[in-house]
Amino acid sequence: MVRQGAALSTRMSRVTGDQARRYAIAGLSIVAASLVISFAFALVAQMVTGLSLAQVWIAYAPGGVEAMAAIGLSLGYDPAYVAVHHFARIFALLLILPLALRV
């Protein structure tokens, strides 16, 4: 554990405050964009299916399968519904990404 902390801190010592601020802004921007896009698709899906907007948004929100299924379960939503949508997203990425990167 100490070795990992030492290795990380030596790499982080090269990052300036300005770089850290730019990276933080970029990261927050990506998270915000992901949440807005997932909310827009969840809103459309909620109108079509009539399911709870919160349940659909959790199913579409970016995150790990097990974490989002656990969040859905703790909020009283169907964890299978949430997990299947996350598996479908990962599966689609595994299929689409190689095709998109082929030039």
Side-chain angles (χ1 to χ4, degrees):
M1 184 70 93
V2 173
R3 241 185 310 166
Q4 292 171 342
L8 181 61
S9 63
T10 57
R11 290 184 183 186
M12 293 297 292
S13 67
R14 298 181 203 139
V15 177
T16 65
D18 186 49
Q19 287 174 322
R21 184 177 50 77
R22 284 188 288 138
Y23 296 153
I25 291 171
L28 290 172
S29 300
I30 289 171
V31 169
S34 297
L35 289 174
V36 168
I37 290 168
S38 67
F39 183 75
F41 279 98
L43 194 58
V44 171
Q46 186 269 333
M47 287 188 233
V48 171
T49 63
L51 294 171
S52 161
L53 177 61
Q55 176 175 322
V56 178
W57 193 20
I58 287 176
Y60 287 3
V65 175
E66 65 284 339
M68 297 309 282
I71 290 171
L73 181 63
S74 69
L75 294 174
Y77 303 133
D78 184 7
Y81 177 83
V82 174
V84 164
H85 280 83
H86 283 280
F87 280 125
R89 176 178 50 91
I90 292 168
F91 187 69
L93 284 173
L94 289 174
L95 290 178
I96 294 169
L97 195 59
L99 295 174
L101 294 177
R102 187 184 318 166
V103 180

